[in-house]
């Protein structure tokens, strides 16, 4: 009988509760135990896990690696899916393997390339994958020059941080002055150019932005599963056009995604995004981690999280082709349980004649997942480790 597999997700996105659900519903009918850590006690992944801990704050990347190695040793982790400090962790892959833990993450070289969008664009252009025109800017003058050149081409300029995940920091530039339009309705990604130039000029440090044309829909995110032999086992595109979502196997999206995954050693799960520039697809971004929407491939009959765990454990999956493409769909929010909130014990006012007592420490309660729930206030590494040892499974 096969032993259970212990999988750890660190500081992952809330949507990965579905990733965890799919691991448990794996087609191999293998027992899976999930450990989760996070900095937010209200993250739903903590409640969804079998065991959970709050992560200590303020650790350097090197200190976090030590923390992670300790977690893997104490928890008997078979497969670690790192998000926070991924680059530092993959640089110590041999140490994790010596502890009996496989990393579900790409090579250090691949992570380094795609941490910086400018380096990434230059690298993928070198293997023949189309990229949009871009300018790296650090000053107000460089920003203005890039905007003017884009406008001269008839493009709509936008900018985003040269490094970062998702749409954090993405803004579209407008020449329209700030007015009540910006203060009406929902918040807008548009920012007036003059305000941006003033802010950059007055900033204490140079910015590090990528200025580029606004790319058009559809947006296609290709989820890839790649072995350590650099062969892609799965490539399925998820399309997004406004609210409508769907799936595609068209080679105009899949072929450049495979070329990137295989050419740069994007082992295990990655997500490669494209949009349209004019009449051709161009690279938008590359994520060296599982996408939050990866679970949506279940609508095509694929359990990608479990296949990735199998590859990490050295089990061959073969090529994964969706048996069908699911119908178009929309994404809606829904409730997920959280761990109980603990209430610190209240101090009563005491008569002046009585000696002052030491304040009571906040009480801790155990969640349904079996993890100690800290009260309000900062959590130290010692507190987190003490709580985790008290509830650690035998």
């Amino acid at each position: 009988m096969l032993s259970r597999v212990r999988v750890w997700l660190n500081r992952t996105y809330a949507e990965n509760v579905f990733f965890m659900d799919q691991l448990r519903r794996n087609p191999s009918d293998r027992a899976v135990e999930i450990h989760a850590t996070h900095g937010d006690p209200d993250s739903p992944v903590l409640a969804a896990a079998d065991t959970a801990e709050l992560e200590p704050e303020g650790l350097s990347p090197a200190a976090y690696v030590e923390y992670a190695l300790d977690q893997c040793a104490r928890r008997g982790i078979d497969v670690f899916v790192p998000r926070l400090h991924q680059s530092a962790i993959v640089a110590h892959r041999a140490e994790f393997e010596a502890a009996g833990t496989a990393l579900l993450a790409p090579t250090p070289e691949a992570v380094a390339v795609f941490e910086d969008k400018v380096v990434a664009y230059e690298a993928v252009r070198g293997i023949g994958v189309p990229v949009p025109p871009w300018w790296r800017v650090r000053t107000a003058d460089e920003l203005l020059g890039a905007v003017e050149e884009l406008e001269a081409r008839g493009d709509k300029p936008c900018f985003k941080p040269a490094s970062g995940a998702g749409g954090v920091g993405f803004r579209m530039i407008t020449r329209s002055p700030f007015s009540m339009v910006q203060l009406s309705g929902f918040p807008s990604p548009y920012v007036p150019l003059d305000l941006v130039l003033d802010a950059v000029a007055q900033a204490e440090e140079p910015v590090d932005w990528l200025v580029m044309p606004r790319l058009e829909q559809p947006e296609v995110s290709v989820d890839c599963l790649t072995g350590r032999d650099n062969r892609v086992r799965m490539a399925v595109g998820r399309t997004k056009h406004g609210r409508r979502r769907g799936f595609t196997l068209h080679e105009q999206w899949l072929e450049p995604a495979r070329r990137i995954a295989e050419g740069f050693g994007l082992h295990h799960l990655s997500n490669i995004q494209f949009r349209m520039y004019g009449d051709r697809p161009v690279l938008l971004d590359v994520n060296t981690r599982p996408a939050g929407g990866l679970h949506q491939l279940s609508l095509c009959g694929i359990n990608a999280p479990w296949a990735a765990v199998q590859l990490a454990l050295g089990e061959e999956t073969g090529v994964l082709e969706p048996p069908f493409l699911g119908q178009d769909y929309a994404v809606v929010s829904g409730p997920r349980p959280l761990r109980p909130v603990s209430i610190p014990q209240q101090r009563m006012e005491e008569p002046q004649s009585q000696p002052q007592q030491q304040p009571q420490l906040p009480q801790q309660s155990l969640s349904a997942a079996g993890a100690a729930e800290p009260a309000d206030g900062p959590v130290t590494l010692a507190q987190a480790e003490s709580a985790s040892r008290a509830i650690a499974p035998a």
Side-chain angles (χ1 to χ4, degrees), residues 184-384:
S184 303
F186 293 103
S188 167
Y190 284 94
V191 289
L193 176 60
D194 58 338
L195 296 185
V196 179
L197 292 172
D198 288 344
V200 173
Q202 296 172 21
E204 294 181 359
E205 298 180 355
V207 299
D208 189 10
W209 289 347
L210 203 65
V211 179
M212 55 192 292
R214 189 186 74 179
L215 303 176
E216 300 303 327
Q217 299 187 81
E219 180 176 315
V220 178
S221 293
V222 181
D223 294 308
C224 293
L225 175 62
T226 308
R228 296 181 70 172
D229 57 2
N230 288 340
R231 290 191 299 110
V232 169
R233 306 303 201 276
M234 179 199 76
V236 181
R238 289 183 287 114
T239 63
K240 180 168 66 173
H241 198 297
R243 179 174 289 181
R244 180 173 292 271
R245 311 292 178 94
F247 303 100
T248 180
L249 295 177
H250 199 292
E251 284 299 311
Q252 71 171 341
W253 311 106
L254 270 54
E255 189 278 329
R258 289 194 201 95
R259 199 185 315 174
I260 292 171
E262 295 180 342
F264 293 98
L266 285 174
H267 300 165
H268 305 294
L269 289 168
S270 60
N271 176 255
I272 303 171
Q273 302 170 3
F274 301 90
R275 272 195 172 226
M276 299 298 293
Y277 181 57
D279 59 355
R280 66 172 184 165
V282 295
L283 180 70
L284 176 63
D285 205 356
V286 175
N287 295 312
T288 60
R289 53 167 175 76
L294 178 70
H295 64 93
Q296 294 162 14
L297 295 186
S298 64
L299 298 176
C300 300
I302 291 181
N303 188 327
W306 177 245
V309 166
Q310 286 183 293
L311 272 186
L313 293 173
E315 302 171 10
E316 182 51 61
T317 63
V319 176
L320 301 179
E321 295 282 356
F324 53 87
L325 292 183
Q327 70 180 60
D328 286 0
Y329 62 100
V331 174
V332 296
S333 61
R336 293 290 296 201
L338 298 179
R339 300 195 304 170
V341 174
S342 62
I343 302 176
Q345 182 172 330
Q346 303 298 309
R347 285 178 55 191
M348 303 296 293
E349 292 295 330
E350 299 176 4
Q352 294 291 329
S353 59
Q354 293 188 7
Q356 185 175 1
Q357 296 183 2
Q358 293 294 324
Q360 296 291 326
L361 293 176
Q363 298 292 309
Q364 290 184 322
S365 64
L366 296 181
S367 73
E373 178 69 25
D376 297 336
V379 179
T380 67
L381 176 57
Q383 289 173 326

Side-chain angles (χ1 to χ4, degrees), residues 65-145:
V65 170
E66 294 301 317
Y67 163 80
L69 285 166
D70 178 69
Q71 285 281 309
C72 290
R74 288 196 295 110
R75 293 287 184 178
I77 301 299
D78 298 302
V79 178
F80 177 20
V81 188
R83 191 198 68 81
L84 182 66
H85 294 309
Q86 186 189 63
S87 60
I89 289 166
V90 296
H92 293 266
R93 186 184 300 272
E95 295 172 49
F96 284 94
E97 289 179 347
T101 301
L103 295 182
L104 203 156
T107 64
E109 295 78 12
V111 174
V113 167
F114 295 106
E115 276 187 322
D116 186 302
K117 292 179 173 59
V118 171
V119 175
Y121 278 3
E122 291 175 339
V124 301
R125 184 169 58 185
I127 63 170
V129 174
V131 299
W134 52 267
W135 291 259
R136 188 172 206 157
V137 305
R138 301 183 185 276
T139 67
D141 288 341
E142 292 174 349
L143 173 62
L144 180 58

